[in-house]
Amino acid sequence: MTWEDVGETSIPPSDIFVMPEGWGVVNKPVAVWAGNNSSRTETMELAGYTVEIRVTPAQYKWNFGDGNTTTTTSAGRKPRYAHDADISHSYTESGEYTINLTTSYVGQFRVDGGAWEDIPGTAEIASTPVPVEIYRYVRYLVDEDCTKNPGGPDCP
């Protein structure tokens, strides 16, 4: 059995989650994790036999849109804070970026309840890209009181 026999299109893509959602700050971590990526087993009838196919995510290839990539064997998890993330990326320039994810699945099959056999190779499933806007944060140190000089730097 091959991935062509299985039909890769039956494997839904992983969802991409980002924290903060849709934005970030230069040189601060943006957390990412994948969802909708658990193992799946499907059953089908093929030439009078019951065939079970099991697919399991094995690798996650992240592309952060700024020339940086990383590959993980874990989907990551939603962190409490972005700096506590299993998977994160810090952008060095402000701008609009697109995060892409390709999940690699390994598969097995069995016929009529027999032993599981490996499907050679992997299925590469691309996720829907997620845009993020990265802002440059500017902080001014002032020794002026904004009530005395409302036109001073960093005064509203």
Side-chain angles (χ1 to χ4, degrees):
M1 181 165 285
T2 67
W3 284 107
E4 289 177 5
D5 299 327
V6 172
E8 294 177 23
T9 57
S10 66
I11 304 171
S14 298
D15 296 321
I16 300 173
F17 295 97
V18 180
M19 175 191 276
E21 188 175 336
W23 66 279
V25 176
V26 169
N27 296 324
K28 299 291 183 188
V30 173
V32 295
W33 66 97
N36 188 33
N37 58 345
S38 58
S39 295
R40 295 171 173 74
T41 302
E42 293 186 23
T43 303
M44 65 177 79
E45 292 295 320
L46 187 64
Y49 297 98
T50 300
V51 178
E52 291 176 88
I53 299 168
R54 178 171 57 198
V55 297
T56 304
Q59 200 172 61
Y60 302 87
K61 298 172 187 169
W62 297 91
N63 181 326
F64 298 104
D66 64 349
N68 289 290
T69 62
T70 192
T71 301
T72 63
T73 55
S74 166
R77 61 174 171 71
K78 180 179 181 178
R80 185 170 182 167
Y81 303 104
H83 65 271
D84 290 332
D86 293 338
I87 307 164
S88 67
H89 178 65
S90 294
Y91 291 89
T92 58
E93 299 288 332
S94 60
E96 295 180 13
Y97 298 95
T98 302
I99 298 174
N100 289 281
L101 171 63
T102 301
T103 305
S104 299
Y105 287 85
V106 294
Q108 297 178 308
F109 73 97
R110 68 180 178 182
V111 179
D112 285 338
W116 288 101
E117 296 183 43
D118 292 335
I119 300 171
T122 59
E124 307 287 320
I125 308 298
S127 297
T128 301
V130 171
V132 292
E133 185 149 0
I134 304 301
Y135 299 98
R136 184 174 65 97
Y137 180 72
V138 178
R139 176 183 284 174
Y140 295 99
L141 296 176
V142 297
D143 61 355
E144 296 182 15
D145 184 342
C146 288
T147 56
K148 293 180 183 175
N149 182 10
D154 209 30
C155 294

PDB file of all heavy atoms in Angstrom, residues 1 3 6 39-44 50-56 106-120:
ATOM      1  N   MET A   1       0.844  -1.166   0.000  1.00  0.00           N
ATOM      2  CA  MET A   1       0.000   0.000   0.000  1.00  0.00           C
ATOM      3  C   MET A   1       0.896   1.238   0.000  1.00  0.00           C
ATOM      4  O   MET A   1       1.926   1.266   0.657  1.00  0.00           O
ATOM      5  CB  MET A   1      -0.925  -0.012   1.219  1.00  0.00           C
ATOM      6  CG  MET A   1      -1.858   1.168   1.266  1.00  0.00           C
ATOM      7  SD  MET A   1      -3.226   0.976   2.422  1.00  0.00           S
ATOM      8  CE  MET A   1      -4.259  -0.152   1.518  1.00  0.00           C
ATOM      9  N   TRP A   3       0.932   5.877  -0.220  1.00  0.00           N
ATOM     10  CA  TRP A   3       0.154   7.054   0.146  1.00  0.00           C
ATOM     11  C   TRP A   3      -0.856   7.400  -0.946  1.00  0.00           C
ATOM     12  O   TRP A   3      -1.913   7.939  -0.660  1.00  0.00           O
ATOM     13  CB  TRP A   3       1.074   8.243   0.445  1.00  0.00           C
ATOM     14  CG  TRP A   3       1.716   8.095   1.788  1.00  0.00           C
ATOM     15  CD1 TRP A   3       3.013   7.781   2.045  1.00  0.00           C
ATOM     16  CD2 TRP A   3       1.075   8.215   3.052  1.00  0.00           C
ATOM     17  NE1 TRP A   3       3.211   7.703   3.408  1.00  0.00           N
ATOM     18  CE2 TRP A   3       2.045   7.972   4.048  1.00  0.00           C
ATOM     19  CE3 TRP A   3      -0.225   8.512   3.458  1.00  0.00           C
ATOM     20  CZ2 TRP A   3       1.754   8.028   5.405  1.00  0.00           C
ATOM     21  CZ3 TRP A   3      -0.509   8.565   4.812  1.00  0.00           C
ATOM     22  CH2 TRP A   3       0.471   8.314   5.765  1.00  0.00           C
ATOM     23  N   VAL A   6      -3.879   5.493  -0.164  1.00  0.00           N
ATOM     24  CA  VAL A   6      -4.570   6.016   1.013  1.00  0.00           C
ATOM     25  C   VAL A   6      -5.366   7.258   0.651  1.00  0.00           C
ATOM     26  O   VAL A   6      -6.490   7.452   1.111  1.00  0.00           O
ATOM     27  CB  VAL A   6      -3.553   6.331   2.140  1.00  0.00           C
ATOM     28  CG1 VAL A   6      -4.222   7.054   3.289  1.00  0.00           C
ATOM     29  CG2 VAL A   6      -2.880   5.056   2.603  1.00  0.00           C
ATOM     30  N   SER A  39      -3.616  11.376  15.991  1.00  0.00           N
ATOM     31  CA  SER A  39      -3.650  10.177  15.148  1.00  0.00           C
ATOM     32  C   SER A  39      -5.081   9.903  14.724  1.00  0.00           C
ATOM     33  O   SER A  39      -6.026  10.180  15.467  1.00  0.00           O
ATOM     34  CB  SER A  39      -3.111   8.967  15.915  1.00  0.00           C
ATOM     35  OG  SER A  39      -1.748   9.147  16.203  1.00  0.00           O
ATOM     36  N   ARG A  40      -5.226   9.368  13.527  1.00  0.00           N
ATOM     37  CA  ARG A  40      -6.556   9.064  12.995  1.00  0.00           C
ATOM     38  C   ARG A  40      -6.551   7.661  12.407  1.00  0.00           C
ATOM     39  O   ARG A  40      -5.578   7.253  11.794  1.00  0.00           O
ATOM     40  CB  ARG A  40      -6.925  10.033  11.879  1.00  0.00           C
ATOM     41  CG  ARG A  40      -7.080  11.454  12.320  1.00  0.00           C
ATOM     42  CD  ARG A  40      -7.229  12.374  11.097  1.00  0.00           C
ATOM     43  NE  ARG A  40      -7.540  13.727  11.463  1.00  0.00           N
ATOM     44  CZ  ARG A  40      -6.690  14.593  11.984  1.00  0.00           C
ATOM     45  NH1 ARG A  40      -5.467  14.233  12.211  1.00  0.00           N
ATOM     46  NH2 ARG A  40      -7.070  15.821  12.287  1.00  0.00           N
ATOM     47  N   THR A  41      -7.649   6.980  12.600  1.00  0.00           N
ATOM     48  CA  THR A  41      -7.818   5.669  11.979  1.00  0.00           C
ATOM     49  C   THR A  41      -9.105   5.685  11.167  1.00  0.00           C
ATOM     50  O   THR A  41     -10.147   6.121  11.665  1.00  0.00           O
ATOM     51  CB  THR A  41      -7.880   4.547  13.041  1.00  0.00           C
ATOM     52  OG1 THR A  41      -6.685   4.591  13.821  1.00  0.00           O
ATOM     53  CG2 THR A  41      -8.012   3.179  12.397  1.00  0.00           C
ATOM     54  N   GLU A  42      -9.001   5.262   9.921  1.00  0.00           N
ATOM     55  CA  GLU A  42     -10.170   5.172   9.045  1.00  0.00           C
ATOM     56  C   GLU A  42     -10.321   3.739   8.578  1.00  0.00           C
ATOM     57  O   GLU A  42      -9.342   3.016   8.410  1.00  0.00           O
ATOM     58  CB  GLU A  42     -10.013   6.096   7.840  1.00  0.00           C
ATOM     59  CG  GLU A  42     -10.034   7.563   8.199  1.00  0.00           C
ATOM     60  CD  GLU A  42     -10.023   8.458   6.966  1.00  0.00           C
ATOM     61  OE1 GLU A  42     -10.423   7.995   5.877  1.00  0.00           O
ATOM     62  OE2 GLU A  42      -9.596   9.601   7.103  1.00  0.00           O
ATOM     63  N   THR A  43     -11.554   3.347   8.386  1.00  0.00           N
ATOM     64  CA  THR A  43     -11.851   2.002   7.908  1.00  0.00           C
ATOM     65  C   THR A  43     -12.549   2.101   6.558  1.00  0.00           C
ATOM     66  O   THR A  43     -13.417   2.964   6.371  1.00  0.00           O
ATOM     67  CB  THR A  43     -12.756   1.266   8.912  1.00  0.00           C
ATOM     68  OG1 THR A  43     -12.102   1.249  10.196  1.00  0.00           O
ATOM     69  CG2 THR A  43     -13.015  -0.161   8.471  1.00  0.00           C
ATOM     70  N   MET A  44     -12.136   1.240   5.625  1.00  0.00           N
ATOM     71  CA  MET A  44     -12.765   1.221   4.302  1.00  0.00           C
ATOM     72  C   MET A  44     -12.861  -0.209   3.806  1.00  0.00           C
ATOM     73  O   MET A  44     -12.164  -1.099   4.296  1.00  0.00           O
ATOM     74  CB  MET A  44     -11.970   2.084   3.320  1.00  0.00           C
ATOM     75  CG  MET A  44     -10.568   1.571   3.040  1.00  0.00           C
ATOM     76  SD  MET A  44      -9.665   2.527   1.827  1.00  0.00           S
ATOM     77  CE  MET A  44      -9.151   3.901   2.802  1.00  0.00           C
ATOM     78  N   THR A  50     -11.804  -5.648   4.720  1.00  0.00           N
ATOM     79  CA  THR A  50     -11.870  -4.472   5.577  1.00  0.00           C
ATOM     80  C   THR A  50     -10.442  -3.986   5.804  1.00  0.00           C
ATOM     81  O   THR A  50      -9.606  -4.720   6.335  1.00  0.00           O
ATOM     82  CB  THR A  50     -12.527  -4.808   6.931  1.00  0.00           C
ATOM     83  OG1 THR A  50     -13.845  -5.289   6.693  1.00  0.00           O
ATOM     84  CG2 THR A  50     -12.583  -3.588   7.832  1.00  0.00           C
ATOM     85  N   VAL A  51     -10.186  -2.754   5.378  1.00  0.00           N
ATOM     86  CA  VAL A  51      -8.840  -2.182   5.486  1.00  0.00           C
ATOM     87  C   VAL A  51      -8.901  -1.003   6.449  1.00  0.00           C
ATOM     88  O   VAL A  51      -9.717  -0.103   6.296  1.00  0.00           O
ATOM     89  CB  VAL A  51      -8.316  -1.715   4.111  1.00  0.00           C
ATOM     90  CG1 VAL A  51      -6.938  -1.092   4.246  1.00  0.00           C
ATOM     91  CG2 VAL A  51      -8.302  -2.879   3.118  1.00  0.00           C
ATOM     92  N   GLU A  52      -8.038  -1.046   7.471  1.00  0.00           N
ATOM     93  CA  GLU A  52      -7.911   0.063   8.410  1.00  0.00           C
ATOM     94  C   GLU A  52      -6.610   0.799   8.101  1.00  0.00           C
ATOM     95  O   GLU A  52      -5.575   0.164   7.875  1.00  0.00           O
ATOM     96  CB  GLU A  52      -7.874  -0.434   9.845  1.00  0.00           C
ATOM     97  CG  GLU A  52      -9.176  -1.012  10.334  1.00  0.00           C
ATOM     98  CD  GLU A  52      -9.014  -1.568  11.727  1.00  0.00           C
ATOM     99  OE1 GLU A  52      -9.183  -0.783  12.688  1.00  0.00           O
ATOM    100  OE2 GLU A  52      -8.692  -2.759  11.846  1.00  0.00           O
ATOM    101  N   ILE A  53      -6.698   2.121   8.113  1.00  0.00           N
ATOM    102  CA  ILE A  53      -5.531   2.953   7.863  1.00  0.00           C
ATOM    103  C   ILE A  53      -5.375   3.890   9.054  1.00  0.00           C
ATOM    104  O   ILE A  53      -6.321   4.560   9.462  1.00  0.00           O
ATOM    105  CB  ILE A  53      -5.690   3.753   6.560  1.00  0.00           C
ATOM    106  CG1 ILE A  53      -5.829   2.781   5.403  1.00  0.00           C
ATOM    107  CG2 ILE A  53      -4.520   4.706   6.364  1.00  0.00           C
ATOM    108  CD1 ILE A  53      -6.268   3.406   4.119  1.00  0.00           C
ATOM    109  N   ARG A  54      -4.166   3.915   9.610  1.00  0.00           N
ATOM    110  CA  ARG A  54      -3.873   4.764  10.763  1.00  0.00           C
ATOM    111  C   ARG A  54      -2.758   5.731  10.366  1.00  0.00           C
ATOM    112  O   ARG A  54      -1.717   5.313   9.873  1.00  0.00           O
ATOM    113  CB  ARG A  54      -3.439   3.897  11.937  1.00  0.00           C
ATOM    114  CG  ARG A  54      -3.064   4.683  13.174  1.00  0.00           C
ATOM    115  CD  ARG A  54      -2.842   3.791  14.384  1.00  0.00           C
ATOM    116  NE  ARG A  54      -1.815   2.787  14.149  1.00  0.00           N
ATOM    117  CZ  ARG A  54      -1.675   1.692  14.895  1.00  0.00           C
ATOM    118  NH1 ARG A  54      -2.501   1.450  15.900  1.00  0.00           N
ATOM    119  NH2 ARG A  54      -0.712   0.839  14.637  1.00  0.00           N
ATOM    120  N   VAL A  55      -3.019   7.026  10.567  1.00  0.00           N
ATOM    121  CA  VAL A  55      -1.996   8.047  10.290  1.00  0.00           C
ATOM    122  C   VAL A  55      -1.677   8.786  11.583  1.00  0.00           C
ATOM    123  O   VAL A  55      -2.562   9.053  12.391  1.00  0.00           O
ATOM    124  CB  VAL A  55      -2.431   9.030   9.184  1.00  0.00           C
ATOM    125  CG1 VAL A  55      -2.615   8.305   7.861  1.00  0.00           C
ATOM    126  CG2 VAL A  55      -3.679   9.782   9.556  1.00  0.00           C
ATOM    127  N   THR A  56      -0.392   9.088  11.764  1.00  0.00           N
ATOM    128  CA  THR A  56       0.085   9.735  12.979  1.00  0.00           C
ATOM    129  C   THR A  56       1.046  10.849  12.604  1.00  0.00           C
ATOM    130  O   THR A  56       1.968  10.627  11.812  1.00  0.00           O
ATOM    131  CB  THR A  56       0.831   8.708  13.873  1.00  0.00           C
ATOM    132  OG1 THR A  56      -0.042   7.608  14.127  1.00  0.00           O
ATOM    133  CG2 THR A  56       1.284   9.331  15.173  1.00  0.00           C
ATOM    134  N   VAL A 106       3.176   9.725   9.274  1.00  0.00           N
ATOM    135  CA  VAL A 106       3.544   8.347   8.971  1.00  0.00           C
ATOM    136  C   VAL A 106       2.261   7.534   9.030  1.00  0.00           C
ATOM    137  O   VAL A 106       1.300   7.917   9.707  1.00  0.00           O
ATOM    138  CB  VAL A 106       4.608   7.783   9.939  1.00  0.00           C
ATOM    139  CG1 VAL A 106       5.928   8.528   9.767  1.00  0.00           C
ATOM    140  CG2 VAL A 106       4.147   7.847  11.376  1.00  0.00           C
ATOM    141  N   GLY A 107       2.237   6.431   8.300  1.00  0.00           N
ATOM    142  CA  GLY A 107       1.007   5.657   8.255  1.00  0.00           C
ATOM    143  C   GLY A 107       1.232   4.160   8.356  1.00  0.00           C
ATOM    144  O   GLY A 107       2.325   3.654   8.101  1.00  0.00           O
ATOM    145  N   GLN A 108       0.177   3.494   8.738  1.00  0.00           N
ATOM    146  CA  GLN A 108       0.143   2.043   8.802  1.00  0.00           C
ATOM    147  C   GLN A 108      -1.213   1.571   8.301  1.00  0.00           C
ATOM    148  O   GLN A 108      -2.182   2.330   8.315  1.00  0.00           O
ATOM    149  CB  GLN A 108       0.343   1.545  10.242  1.00  0.00           C
ATOM    150  CG  GLN A 108       1.689   1.908  10.827  1.00  0.00           C
ATOM    151  CD  GLN A 108       1.795   1.438  12.267  1.00  0.00           C
ATOM    152  OE1 GLN A 108       0.929   1.734  13.086  1.00  0.00           O
ATOM    153  NE2 GLN A 108       2.848   0.692  12.561  1.00  0.00           N
ATOM    154  N   PHE A 109      -1.256   0.314   7.878  1.00  0.00           N
ATOM    155  CA  PHE A 109      -2.530  -0.263   7.463  1.00  0.00           C
ATOM    156  C   PHE A 109      -2.590  -1.712   7.934  1.00  0.00           C
ATOM    157  O   PHE A 109      -1.571  -2.332   8.243  1.00  0.00           O
ATOM    158  CB  PHE A 109      -2.697  -0.184   5.936  1.00  0.00           C
ATOM    159  CG  PHE A 109      -1.828  -1.155   5.179  1.00  0.00           C
ATOM    160  CD1 PHE A 109      -2.347  -2.377   4.750  1.00  0.00           C
ATOM    161  CD2 PHE A 109      -0.503  -0.851   4.895  1.00  0.00           C
ATOM    162  CE1 PHE A 109      -1.551  -3.274   4.056  1.00  0.00           C
ATOM    163  CE2 PHE A 109       0.298  -1.745   4.207  1.00  0.00           C
ATOM    164  CZ  PHE A 109      -0.228  -2.948   3.786  1.00  0.00           C
ATOM    165  N   ARG A 110      -3.821  -2.218   8.010  1.00  0.00           N
ATOM    166  CA  ARG A 110      -4.003  -3.649   8.269  1.00  0.00           C
ATOM    167  C   ARG A 110      -5.262  -4.099   7.553  1.00  0.00           C
ATOM    168  O   ARG A 110      -6.181  -3.320   7.310  1.00  0.00           O
ATOM    169  CB  ARG A 110      -4.035  -3.967   9.749  1.00  0.00           C
ATOM    170  CG  ARG A 110      -5.230  -3.468  10.515  1.00  0.00           C
ATOM    171  CD  ARG A 110      -5.102  -3.881  11.959  1.00  0.00           C
ATOM    172  NE  ARG A 110      -6.202  -3.379  12.764  1.00  0.00           N
ATOM    173  CZ  ARG A 110      -6.313  -3.561  14.048  1.00  0.00           C
ATOM    174  NH1 ARG A 110      -5.379  -4.241  14.699  1.00  0.00           N
ATOM    175  NH2 ARG A 110      -7.332  -3.088  14.718  1.00  0.00           N
ATOM    176  N   VAL A 111      -5.280  -5.364   7.227  1.00  0.00           N
ATOM    177  CA  VAL A 111      -6.381  -5.948   6.463  1.00  0.00           C
ATOM    178  C   VAL A 111      -7.083  -6.983   7.334  1.00  0.00           C
ATOM    179  O   VAL A 111      -6.442  -7.865   7.901  1.00  0.00           O
ATOM    180  CB  VAL A 111      -5.857  -6.596   5.156  1.00  0.00           C
ATOM    181  CG1 VAL A 111      -6.992  -7.223   4.373  1.00  0.00           C
ATOM    182  CG2 VAL A 111      -5.103  -5.569   4.313  1.00  0.00           C
ATOM    183  N   ASP A 112      -8.397  -6.851   7.440  1.00  0.00           N
ATOM    184  CA  ASP A 112      -9.237  -7.776   8.203  1.00  0.00           C
ATOM    185  C   ASP A 112      -8.705  -8.052   9.615  1.00  0.00           C
ATOM    186  O   ASP A 112      -8.678  -9.199  10.080  1.00  0.00           O
ATOM    187  CB  ASP A 112      -9.422  -9.094   7.441  1.00  0.00           C
ATOM    188  CG  ASP A 112     -10.385  -8.949   6.275  1.00  0.00           C
ATOM    189  OD1 ASP A 112     -11.216  -8.009   6.288  1.00  0.00           O
ATOM    190  OD2 ASP A 112     -10.321  -9.773   5.339  1.00  0.00           O
ATOM    191  N   GLY A 113      -8.254  -7.007  10.299  1.00  0.00           N
ATOM    192  CA  GLY A 113      -7.810  -7.148  11.686  1.00  0.00           C
ATOM    193  C   GLY A 113      -6.445  -7.769  11.853  1.00  0.00           C
ATOM    194  O   GLY A 113      -6.054  -8.105  12.975  1.00  0.00           O
ATOM    195  N   GLY A 114      -5.686  -7.910  10.785  1.00  0.00           N
ATOM    196  CA  GLY A 114      -4.343  -8.501  10.855  1.00  0.00           C
ATOM    197  C   GLY A 114      -3.341  -7.564  11.496  1.00  0.00           C
ATOM    198  O   GLY A 114      -3.696  -6.557  12.116  1.00  0.00           O
ATOM    199  N   ALA A 115      -2.089  -7.893  11.320  1.00  0.00           N
ATOM    200  CA  ALA A 115      -1.008  -7.086  11.895  1.00  0.00           C
ATOM    201  C   ALA A 115      -0.879  -5.753  11.142  1.00  0.00           C
ATOM    202  O   ALA A 115      -1.125  -5.688   9.938  1.00  0.00           O
ATOM    203  CB  ALA A 115       0.307  -7.861  11.815  1.00  0.00           C
ATOM    204  N   TRP A 116      -0.501  -4.712  11.872  1.00  0.00           N
ATOM    205  CA  TRP A 116      -0.271  -3.403  11.263  1.00  0.00           C
ATOM    206  C   TRP A 116       1.013  -3.467  10.438  1.00  0.00           C
ATOM    207  O   TRP A 116       2.021  -4.020  10.878  1.00  0.00           O
ATOM    208  CB  TRP A 116      -0.139  -2.314  12.317  1.00  0.00           C
ATOM    209  CG  TRP A 116      -1.430  -1.961  12.987  1.00  0.00           C
ATOM    210  CD1 TRP A 116      -1.848  -2.370  14.214  1.00  0.00           C
ATOM    211  CD2 TRP A 116      -2.465  -1.128  12.461  1.00  0.00           C
ATOM    212  NE1 TRP A 116      -3.091  -1.835  14.490  1.00  0.00           N
ATOM    213  CE2 TRP A 116      -3.489  -1.065  13.424  1.00  0.00           C
ATOM    214  CE3 TRP A 116      -2.635  -0.433  11.268  1.00  0.00           C
ATOM    215  CZ2 TRP A 116      -4.659  -0.334  13.238  1.00  0.00           C
ATOM    216  CZ3 TRP A 116      -3.801   0.297  11.079  1.00  0.00           C
ATOM    217  CH2 TRP A 116      -4.796   0.338  12.051  1.00  0.00           C
ATOM    218  N   GLU A 117       0.964  -2.872   9.246  1.00  0.00           N
ATOM    219  CA  GLU A 117       2.134  -2.771   8.369  1.00  0.00           C
ATOM    220  C   GLU A 117       2.362  -1.313   8.019  1.00  0.00           C
ATOM    221  O   GLU A 117       1.408  -0.549   7.838  1.00  0.00           O
ATOM    222  CB  GLU A 117       1.918  -3.586   7.092  1.00  0.00           C
ATOM    223  CG  GLU A 117       1.775  -5.082   7.340  1.00  0.00           C
ATOM    224  CD  GLU A 117       1.648  -5.861   6.047  1.00  0.00           C
ATOM    225  OE1 GLU A 117       2.398  -5.564   5.099  1.00  0.00           O
ATOM    226  OE2 GLU A 117       0.789  -6.757   5.988  1.00  0.00           O
ATOM    227  N   ASP A 118       3.640  -0.930   7.920  1.00  0.00           N
ATOM    228  CA  ASP A 118       3.974   0.458   7.611  1.00  0.00           C
ATOM    229  C   ASP A 118       3.688   0.802   6.158  1.00  0.00           C
ATOM    230  O   ASP A 118       3.901  -0.016   5.264  1.00  0.00           O
ATOM    231  CB  ASP A 118       5.456   0.728   7.896  1.00  0.00           C
ATOM    232  CG  ASP A 118       5.780   0.677   9.378  1.00  0.00           C
ATOM    233  OD1 ASP A 118       4.864   0.901  10.195  1.00  0.00           O
ATOM    234  OD2 ASP A 118       6.955   0.419   9.716  1.00  0.00           O
ATOM    235  N   ILE A 119       3.234   2.017   5.945  1.00  0.00           N
ATOM    236  CA  ILE A 119       3.131   2.581   4.605  1.00  0.00           C
ATOM    237  C   ILE A 119       4.454   3.307   4.365  1.00  0.00           C
ATOM    238  O   ILE A 119       4.835   4.154   5.162  1.00  0.00           O
ATOM    239  CB  ILE A 119       1.949   3.567   4.493  1.00  0.00           C
ATOM    240  CG1 ILE A 119       0.635   2.848   4.799  1.00  0.00           C
ATOM    241  CG2 ILE A 119       1.908   4.216   3.118  1.00  0.00           C
ATOM    242  CD1 ILE A 119      -0.567   3.778   4.924  1.00  0.00           C
ATOM    243  N   PRO A 120       5.177   2.975   3.298  1.00  0.00           N
ATOM    244  CA  PRO A 120       6.492   3.617   3.088  1.00  0.00           C
ATOM    245  C   PRO A 120       6.376   5.133   2.889  1.00  0.00           C
ATOM    246  O   PRO A 120       5.429   5.620   2.277  1.00  0.00           O
ATOM    247  CB  PRO A 120       7.011   2.964   1.806  1.00  0.00           C
ATOM    248  CG  PRO A 120       6.084   1.854   1.478  1.00  0.00           C
ATOM    249  CD  PRO A 120       4.835   2.039   2.266  1.00  0.00           C
TER     250      PRO A 120
END
